[in-house]
Amino acid sequence: MAKASRRKSQSFLHGALILTASVLIVKLIGALFKVPLTWVITEDGLGYFNTAYNFYGPIYSLATAGFPIAISRLVSESCTRGAYRDIRRIHRASAPIFIGTGTVGFALMVFGAAAYARIIGNESALPALYTLAPAILFSCLTAIYRGYYEGLRNMYPTAISEIIEALSKLTVGLSAACLILHRGMKEYEALGTVFGVAAASRDYARSAVLPYAAAGAILGVTVGSALSFLFLFCRHRLLGDGITEENLKNSPPPRSMRKTVSRLVRTAVPIGVGAMAVNVAAMVDTTFLQTRIHNVMEQNPQVLLSMYQGMIPQINIEAHTVPNFLFGCFSMALTLFMLVPAVTQAFGISALPNVTAAYTRGEKTHLKKSMEAVLRVTALFSIPAGMGLAVMAGPVARLVFGARPSLPITSHVLVIMGVGAIFASFSTPVNSMLQAVGRVDLPVKLLAVGLTIKVALNYFLVGIPQINVLGAGAGTLACYFFLTVAALTCLCRETGILPDFLSIFGKPLIASILCCAAAWSARGLLSHVLTENLSTLGGVGAAVLVYSLSLLCLRAICRDDILMLPNGQKIAKILEKHGWIR
């Protein structure tokens, strides 16, 4: 390994700020990928794309088995004790584990893809499924380094690797999708065939190309995971981990390799089961939404088709691909829904080493402050974002995806999913804190119950013709509502700490109600003089302004949170001068 510079750790909010900044950059890049991709491959292609992704999720979770979080937690714990030799041993022990599980995961996806596609009745998703398979191995190898550096409270490697991954998805994925679609349609125009198979019309030709265009988009994900691993591997070899020779010299003797592996496995397995349950939840949407709507189309298609008259293209009805089309509409709503918990996931990653350190040292006052900081920052972002998505569902969907016949379907789902995004945002941070205080089993148990709720609601609600795709949104909302309330209850019980919930949730809720009212009113007024999209942007701008002013007037921001930011002392002084923080 190359020389190691002096190690510098980051506070919770500093680390969260780094990860949040990277998430925002990644999401911006993701929007530049996903939005044009939706225009290129439409709802059908997006259905194939997300079918592959949601099958990939549980297998990836099974392959990693919670080891990234386990590595982060054990490295943080060892760092608190000054056991730097243990930290190095943890890293060495994790490499062969991930190579083995990544290879098994790759094989599972390759050999299980065909069976899964047959079960959900969507064999056109097979090209995308096969293209995504190698990403499991590369993602497993990437997870070794991300968990390791996060445990050392250095969020920069994770942040940079995520940006590399997103840029690859944008450049490679979007280019490949456009190229394949162009080549396929060019062949049809010249020969009347698509990749050697005759097509009856232009619509049928485009429908035949879309599965391969979706696979081209997925190729960007696979290449991105490979480049992300390559960056982390080279960075570790060249720059090291920041642990100095002096740190190692003063460190106590390390645990044996056998004990290290045993600790990793004991910590990782419960976390891995929980993480797998989250990804299984996504696969539940994919499976039940398509299979149950397929049943509706066989038994009572008139109700659904009249409900969405003019929104579903005739080619989908004739080709019997309505389930995949509606899953594509749901996927569009899911894209916007995931923006909110994706940001707060950074808070959970950054919180884990800090809460672990406070709990390990037995500092109850510091532990309470750390818990409240995580919950407060999560609430400040998630409540207005989720409520805003619900209130402005139609205009936001139009702004992002453009005016398209299927927009009302996506908008109705997004109203429900917007509220669900608030509760989903708390899931990762609260579960991370439970894991940080040693209760890695509780998130697993709670997720098992939440997943049962989701499966039951999806199965019954999606199968009702009048509800159909909206049932998947309702199942998501109910699942995350239960998980948030139950996890917070368990966290308070395990730590013996009762955070100031009224202040944490009350003030952001009041400010969010005001900002949503401002958004709706401003958009309505501006729509008389501006275009639809410009009036929506004006409404969003008014919401941000009103929300910021409301937070300052309500003194919802805490001085301790500001101090954890880079140059927080200067910022705190300015805000204190005007009486805007407490």
Side-chain angles (χ1 to χ4, degrees):
M1 186 186 295
K3 60 182 181 180
S5 58
R6 188 170 177 269
R7 198 181 69 81
K8 294 180 181 179
S9 63
Q10 298 147 359
S11 68
F12 152 66
L13 206 54
H14 189 177
L17 190 65
I18 294 167
L19 290 179
T20 301
S22 77
V23 166
L24 291 175
I25 294 169
V26 166
K27 289 301 172 184
L28 177 61
I29 296 168
L32 294 173
F33 167 66
K34 208 70 174 279
V35 174
L37 182 68
T38 304
W39 298 339
V40 172
I41 65 175
T42 68
E43 293 87 347
D44 291 300
L46 202 60
Y48 304 135
F49 182 96
N50 280 334
T51 295
Y53 224 112
N54 291 343
F55 182 62
Y56 160 89
I59 297 176
Y60 167 71
S61 295
L62 185 65
T64 56
F67 279 103
I69 295 175
I71 292 168
S72 177
R73 186 182 186 281
L74 294 181
V75 166
S76 175
E77 186 182 295
S78 299
C79 191
T80 303
R81 295 188 293 104
Y84 293 102
R85 293 186 186 181
D86 273 329
I87 291 173
R88 288 283 178 82
R89 185 149 288 183
I90 289 166
H91 181 70
R92 284 198 296 273
S94 62
I97 293 172
F98 272 109
I99 292 170
T101 58
T103 303
V104 171
F106 167 73
L108 277 174
M109 189 155 183
V110 169
F111 295 111
Y116 178 69
R118 280 196 300 272
I119 288 170
I120 64 172
N122 194 358
E123 294 189 52
S124 295
L126 271 174
L129 283 161
Y130 287 132
T131 305
L132 190 56
I136 290 183
L137 178 58
F138 293 120
S139 296
C140 283
L141 296 173
T142 299
I144 300 172
Y145 296 98
R146 286 181 180 173
Y148 186 69
Y149 283 109
E150 286 159 13
L152 289 169
R153 302 191 207 181
N154 181 4
M155 307 302 166
Y156 284 112
T158 293
I160 295 170
S161 67
E162 287 175 345
I163 292 170
I164 290 171
E165 204 165 333
L167 283 171
S168 173
K169 190 192 300 185
L170 170 64
T171 54
V172 177
L174 193 56
S175 299
C178 291
L179 180 63
I180 291 169
L181 189 62
H182 174 72
R183 290 291 296 273
M185 295 309 294
K186 188 177 179 181
E187 180 186 327
Y188 170 75
E189 298 292 346
L191 304 172
T193 60
V194 174
F195 305 134
V197 179
S201 68
R202 184 178 177 83
D203 285 341
Y204 276 95
R206 186 177 176 83
S207 180
V209 176
L210 285 176
Y212 300 98
I218 284 284
L219 180 64
V221 178
T222 300
V223 173
S225 64
L227 293 177
S228 179
F229 162 67
L230 187 62
F231 160 75
L232 288 168
F233 176 78
C234 292
R235 187 204 180 280
H236 191 74
R237 297 283 295 180
L238 296 172
L239 301 178
D241 52 15
I243 297 174
T244 64
E245 291 299 326
E246 186 179 351
N247 291 147
L248 294 171
K249 183 179 178 181
N250 297 326
S251 174
R255 290 181 172 90
S256 68
M257 183 61 78
R258 184 176 178 180
K259 285 185 178 179
T260 301
V261 171
S262 176
R263 287 181 75 218
L264 270 172
V265 172
R266 287 201 314 272
T267 307
V269 169
I271 297 171
V273 173
M276 186 168 67
V278 173
N279 286 290
V280 168
M283 196 164 75
V284 165
D285 287 329
T286 308
T287 305
F288 285 128
L289 199 152
Q290 294 188 61
T291 55
R292 294 294 282 160
I293 289 179
H294 181 74
N295 292 340
V296 170
M297 290 300 294
E298 283 186 336
Q299 298 167 11
N300 195 4
Q302 287 75 23
V303 174
L304 190 146
L305 293 177
S306 62
M307 185 176 176
Y308 297 137
Q309 188 173 7
M311 302 178 200
I312 301 175
Q314 187 63 31
I315 182 67
N316 293 103
I317 299 171
E318 293 174 2
H320 307 292
T321 57
V322 170
N324 182 70
F325 178 84
L326 289 180
F327 178 61
C329 296
F330 176 81
S331 298
M332 290 162 66
L334 192 66
T335 297
L336 296 172
F337 162 84
M338 287 303 298
L339 290 173
V340 186
V343 173
T344 60
Q345 185 177 12
F347 304 156
I349 292 169
S350 184
L352 192 143
N354 289 275
V355 174
T356 299
Y359 185 76
T360 302
R361 290 193 292 259
E363 298 172 350
K364 203 161 186 177
T365 302
H366 182 60
L367 180 60
K368 184 182 181 191
K369 283 186 177 181
S370 297
M371 287 169 53
E372 287 184 337
V374 176
L375 294 173
R376 184 165 48 250
V377 174
T378 304
L380 287 170
F381 175 80
S382 64
I383 295 176
M387 288 178 63
L389 277 180
V391 171
M392 299 279 286
V396 168
R398 179 187 290 270
L399 176 67
V400 174
F401 299 113
R404 51 202 316 123
S406 66
L407 197 65
I409 306 173
T410 302
S411 302
H412 291 154
V413 175
L414 190 57
V415 172
I416 303 169
M417 299 286 279
V419 179
I422 299 173
F423 299 103
S425 297
F426 283 93
S427 180
T428 299
V430 176
N431 283 340
S432 290
M433 289 190 283
L434 280 172
Q435 291 156 0
V437 300
R439 290 307 306 266
V440 295
D441 60 311
L442 282 175
V444 179
K445 295 172 182 176
L446 296 178
L447 279 165
V449 179
L451 186 58
T452 302
I453 293 170
K454 185 176 176 67
V455 168
L457 286 175
N458 274 31
Y459 183 83
F460 288 109
L461 293 180
V462 176
I464 298 172
Q466 294 83 353
I467 297 176
N468 53 80
V469 70
L470 300 179
T476 299
L477 170 58
C479 173
Y480 282 113
F481 174 80
F482 165 78
L483 288 175
T484 298
V485 174
L488 278 173
T489 303
C490 291
L491 183 65
C492 294
R493 186 190 65 203
E494 291 300 320
T495 58
I497 292 171
L498 186 64
D500 185 0
F501 287 124
L502 185 61
S503 176
I504 290 168
F505 299 121
K507 292 179 179 180
L509 179 60
I510 294 169
S512 298
I513 292 171
L514 293 173
C515 91
C516 287
W520 186 258
S521 303
R523 180 193 162 274
L525 290 171
L526 291 171
S527 63
H528 296 296
V529 293
L530 297 175
T531 63
E532 185 76 26
N533 287 344
L534 285 176
S535 62
T536 299
L537 288 172
V540 172
V544 172
L545 179 62
V546 169
Y547 184 66
S548 302
L549 292 173
S550 300
L551 288 181
L552 294 174
C553 292
L554 292 167
R555 299 181 72 203
I557 302 170
C558 183
R559 185 175 187 275
D560 289 340
D561 298 341
I562 300 297
L563 291 176
M564 285 191 285
L565 290 169
N567 298 317
Q569 199 82 29
K570 293 179 182 178
I571 301 171
K573 282 182 180 179
I574 296 170
L575 295 176
E576 277 180 328
K577 184 179 178 181
H578 296 86
W580 286 338
I581 61 172
R582 53 192 169 86

